[in-house]
Amino acid sequence: MAGVLIIGTVAAGRLQEISLEVAHLGHELADALNVPLSGGLIGSQCQAATDAFVMAGMSQLFVVDDDRLEHYTAESSIAAVMSIVQQCDPTLILVGHSLDAGEWAPQLAAK
């Protein structure tokens, strides 16, 4: 399914604020391009964050809730996002700027 994919992150069971900011921008972009907006949520203990992320207007949500994501590593984040990308095959992926994403997002883009 082509469209815009927003990657959101969960830390300590909470959706990171930047995730909602990017979701808002992604919604505007998806509307302008007339394509679906999907969300990808990675982290551990994602249940509470899932509801908040869906409320941002996602047509569908892919969640990787894994205890191995509780403590950040680039490799685990890349693997989690890759599993989401393989499921939804987006045209465009948006990720919020954070120290962690600054490490794993360029590595993901190179794949």
Side-chain angles (χ1 to χ4, degrees), residues 10-13 42-45 66-73 76:
V10 175
I42 65 170
S44 72
Q45 303 172 8
D66 190 324
D67 289 339
R68 292 175 287 189
L69 294 167
E70 183 175 353
H71 302 287
Y72 170 76
T73 67
S76 61

Side-chain angles (χ1 to χ4, degrees), residues 32-73:
L33 297 172
N34 197 30
V35 297
L37 176 67
S38 298
L41 195 57
I42 65 170
S44 72
Q45 303 172 8
C46 293
Q47 186 56 44
T50 299
D51 296 335
F53 207 46
V54 167
M55 297 290 288
M58 311 296 167
S59 59
Q60 59 181 334
L61 181 63
F62 302 90
V63 179
V64 177
D65 189 339
D66 190 324
D67 289 339
R68 292 175 287 189
L69 294 167
E70 183 175 353
H71 302 287
Y72 170 76
T73 67

Side-chain angles (χ1 to χ4, degrees), residues 7-110:
I7 299 297
T9 54
V10 175
R14 297 182 54 155
L15 182 63
Q16 299 299 290
E17 187 175 321
I18 189 69
S19 300
L20 290 176
E21 293 172 16
V22 173
H24 176 73
L25 295 172
H27 196 288
E28 291 179 359
L29 183 59
D31 285 349
L33 297 172
N34 197 30
V35 297
L37 176 67
S38 298
L41 195 57
I42 65 170
S44 72
Q45 303 172 8
C46 293
Q47 186 56 44
T50 299
D51 296 335
F53 207 46
V54 167
M55 297 290 288
M58 311 296 167
S59 59
Q60 59 181 334
L61 181 63
F62 302 90
V63 179
V64 177
D65 189 339
D66 190 324
D67 289 339
R68 292 175 287 189
L69 294 167
E70 183 175 353
H71 302 287
Y72 170 76
T73 67
E75 294 80 15
S76 61
S77 295
I78 291 168
V81 175
M82 282 298 293
S83 72
I84 293 169
V85 168
Q86 290 169 349
Q87 290 178 66
C88 66
D89 193 29
T91 304
L92 182 64
I93 302 170
L94 298 179
V95 178
H97 179 74
S98 68
L99 289 175
D100 293 348
E103 180 182 14
W104 64 258
Q107 294 177 51
L108 178 72

